Amino acid sequence: MCKQAQVNKTLSSGAGHKSRKGLLIPTREAFNWSSVTEFIIVGFPNLQGFHTLLFTLLLLIYLFAIFGNVVIFTVIRSDARLHTPMYFFISILSFLEIWYTATSIPKMLSNLLSKRKSISFTGCLLQTYFFHSLGATECYLLTAMAYDRYLAICNSLRYPAIMTPKMCTQLAAGCWICGFMCPVIEVILVSKLPFCGPNEIQHIFCDFPPLLSLACTDTSMNVLVDFIVNAFIILVTFLFIMVSYIKIIKAILKIRTAEGRKKAFSTCAAHLSVVLIFFGSIIFMYVRLKKSYSLDYDRAFAVIYAVLTPLVNPVIYSLRNKEILNAIKRKIPQKGVINSSAQP
């Protein structure tokens, strides 16, 4: 009642308003008392009785994803036999996945144990920015990996001269720089939107679509900008990858021996699997001209690209890759020998 009386007093005095042809138009300052300073992340409302089970399962997935990606990154960087362009990009992807999962999963774990699943307005924007920055970086990095495989198979004679260590470093740096620049416009536009309640985010973490649904104004411009940015990042990179693999498959089919075809395709199968899983989920989620399709669908696809993809990457690139497996096996005996030699 006091707040309402204060607003009525403000309205009657004309303070916090702009005059236009005799009319008093309220400005955002007149309603500062009702602006949202924090959000409540709803998470999985239909699974309220399974939070302990979900926490345990998510924690195990997170630890396995972190451990797997750390092992792959460490093994590739420490084994000279794996210092090739293909494994260089795999190590960068593993490094990226460590941070990609860190932007969302720890907060999800905290919310599963907390009664008040809150996050500040600034914290929500930061989580959204870093999540999309790292996601865009992964799109560009997967494209660079497809380009590497294309050169290795379709232009094998010039491959060593083109994919030099300097070239690999420049491609990786370009992926990170472009990735962190992409969501800047979207975050700035969202930060300028008025949020006056409700403040419940119908999602498992902060993201653009659920945030736009809470704004107290028309967000059609934001939805359009999101569509343009996401379509450019996701569809252009995915199209480039698919074109590369069409040319790769054509080149593989021209190889005369079955053993040669199998060996050539085995170097691409892991990367193509990751591409299909990752892009399949984010295209449905972000390349659309509406805020949301279905809350349950949005949550399900968010689990795929935010949780399962970082988990699948170590499995695909280690268990299905003999060279990385052999490198891991070479590291294990070395530690055993060192420990035994250190004993008196």
Side-chain angles (χ1 to χ4, degrees), residues 212-336:
L212 295 180
S213 300
L214 298 178
C216 302
T217 186
D218 179 35
T219 58
S220 56
M221 179 58 69
N222 298 76
V223 174
L224 179 61
V225 171
D226 288 351
F227 174 78
I228 294 172
V229 173
N230 293 330
F232 176 79
I233 298 171
I234 298 172
L235 295 183
V236 171
T237 54
F238 184 67
L239 179 63
F240 187 92
I241 292 172
M242 289 298 101
V243 170
S244 299
Y245 271 102
I246 289 172
K247 294 183 177 181
I248 288 171
I249 292 172
K250 287 182 179 179
I252 291 175
L253 293 177
K254 293 179 181 179
I255 299 175
R256 296 180 179 179
T257 63
E259 185 65 24
R261 288 194 297 268
K262 183 180 179 180
K263 184 178 180 180
F265 188 75
S266 65
T267 63
C268 306
H271 176 254
L272 187 58
S273 301
V274 173
V275 167
L276 294 177
I277 295 171
F278 181 71
F279 278 93
S281 57
I282 63 173
I283 287 175
F284 178 90
M285 184 69 187
Y286 295 111
V287 185
R288 60 192 185 190
L289 280 169
K290 57 191 301 186
K291 297 174 187 176
S292 177
Y293 289 134
S294 165
L295 296 177
D296 291 332
Y297 278 126
D298 287 353
R299 292 189 184 102
F301 279 96
V303 169
I304 293 174
Y305 63 77
V307 179
L308 296 184
T309 301
L311 172 68
V312 168
N313 284 353
V315 176
I316 291 177
Y317 286 119
S318 60
L319 296 180
R320 294 179 58 88
N321 190 298
K322 292 182 179 179
E323 293 187 15
I324 291 181
L325 278 177
N326 291 334
I328 294 174
K329 291 176 182 178
R330 286 195 295 270
K331 296 295 178 183
I332 295 175
Q334 287 178 5
K335 291 183 178 180

Side-chain angles (χ1 to χ4, degrees), residues 38-42 116-119 199-202:
E38 66 175 18
F39 294 103
I40 305 298
I41 301 176
V42 175
R116 183 170 176 80
K117 312 175 194 315
S118 62
I119 185 171
N199 67 337
E200 291 186 348
I201 294 178
Q202 299 293 331

Side-chain angles (χ1 to χ4, degrees), residues 52-65:
T52 303
L53 178 62
L54 286 175
F55 175 84
T56 305
L57 182 61
L58 186 60
L59 179 61
L60 291 175
I61 291 173
Y62 181 56
L63 293 177
F64 183 84

Side-chain angles (χ1 to χ4, degrees), residues 55-122:
F55 175 84
T56 305
L57 182 61
L58 186 60
L59 179 61
L60 291 175
I61 291 173
Y62 181 56
L63 293 177
F64 183 84
I66 293 294
F67 176 77
N69 284 299
V70 168
V71 168
I72 290 176
F73 177 79
T74 305
V75 167
I76 292 176
R77 303 310 299 171
S78 61
D79 195 316
R81 303 180 192 183
L82 299 180
H83 289 178
T84 62
M86 183 180 76
Y87 290 108
F88 169 80
F89 287 118
I90 291 176
S91 70
I92 298 298
L93 179 64
S94 294
F95 178 77
L96 183 148
E97 294 290 14
I98 295 169
W99 298 105
Y100 184 66
T101 53
T103 61
S104 58
I105 296 182
K107 185 60 179 176
M108 290 166 61
L109 290 169
S110 173
N111 289 340
L112 286 171
L113 296 180
S114 175
K115 292 183 179 180
R116 183 170 176 80
K117 312 175 194 315
S118 62
I119 185 171
S120 66
F121 182 81
T122 302

